[in-house]
Amino acid sequence: MSKLGIIVASTRPGRIGLPIAQWFEGEARTHGGFAEVDLIDLAEVGLPFMDEPNHPRLGQYTKQHTKDWSARIAGVDALVFVMPEYNYGYNAELKNAIDFLHNEWKYKPVGFVSYGGVSAGTRAVQAIKQVVTTLKMTPLFEAVSIPFVQQMIDDEAQFQPNEIVVAASKAMLDELVRVEAALRPLREDA
Ligand SMILES: Cc1cc2nc3c(=O)[nH]c(=O)nc-3n(C[C@H](O)[C@H](O)[C@H](O)COP(=O)(O)O)c2cc1C
């Protein structure tokens, strides 16, 4: 059994990404396909802008925050990015966190929970696929795409998904388990 890392991409005060990620964490635990689930909040991780002198593929990290980030991502077998769409793209904090590392991402599947207005964050998801494949991650087709997300945030700032969103999360978790198992030999060889 393996470990899933759920990355909260938005770091803004008052972000809706956190309650959405907390909901998805609950779905992942109920699903049971992963023995462990790590909710990785980029606001808590608190990386500065990329400040390593060496290319990350060398793994010669000089900063403690990079070593800690490396260990956190190396410790998971599959990932889900819970991500907003900013100006038709992915948010800068997520790209920065990805750029810090290299081999830690390799041969891991990644699913996307995206949200926004009419686009449901799908433009950001399409844009980040070319980033993650450069790092040899495998992006899933199955996705949780949440349109008009504000309508699913209640008065207590909690996320209240409709049944379409819940069904999509189950489908994505099923596929994440399958692809994680298929990629495991490649990770073991690497
Ligand atoms: C800088 C910025 C740019 C945005 N651009 C988009 C956009 O291109 N598409 C969209 O659907 N929503 C856009 N929004 C609205 C976001 O979907 C909404 O603010 C959402 O709450 C952002 O996620 P967060 O609260 O987790 O940061 C934008 C919001 C911000 C702050």
Side-chain angles (χ1 to χ4, degrees), residues 73-175:
I73 297 303
V76 303
D77 302 288
L79 287 141
V80 167
F81 295 170
V82 179
M83 54 186 286
E85 177 175 287
Y86 287 173
N87 299 316
Y88 283 34
Y90 43 78
N91 65 316
E93 298 80 2
L94 177 59
K95 178 65 159 55
N96 186 56
I98 292 170
D99 289 343
F100 258 97
L101 306 179
H102 189 90
N103 291 315
E104 296 84 345
W105 303 112
K106 204 170 184 178
Y107 301 133
K108 294 179 182 175
V110 55
F112 305 99
V113 177
S114 69
Y115 51 91
V118 68
S119 75
T122 53
R123 292 173 293 226
V125 169
Q126 290 307 108
I128 210 163
K129 282 180 180 173
Q130 66 179 358
V131 175
V132 299
T133 54
T134 302
L135 291 158
K136 299 196 180 186
M137 301 178 83
T138 298
L140 298 190
F141 161 75
E142 286 77 5
V144 183
S145 310
I146 308 165
F148 305 112
V149 63
Q150 287 295 345
Q151 296 175 8
M152 295 185 216
I153 305 294
D154 69 15
D155 293 343
E156 276 79 49
Q158 295 306 299
F159 179 59
Q160 303 294 349
N162 61 26
E163 58 192 39
I164 297 169
V165 170
V166 172
S169 76
K170 289 185 172 45
M172 191 174 83
L173 283 160
D174 284 348
E175 185 69 358

Side-chain angles (χ1 to χ4, degrees), residues 50 52-64 66-71 74 99-105 135:
M50 172 60 163
E52 286 288 344
N54 305 309
H55 193 294
R57 74 183 144 74
L58 302 172
Q60 293 169 357
Y61 303 131
T62 63
K63 305 282 185 342
Q64 190 58 46
T66 316
K67 292 173 187 171
D68 293 344
W69 181 230
S70 168
D99 289 343
F100 258 97
L101 306 179
H102 189 90
N103 291 315
E104 296 84 345
W105 303 112
L135 291 158

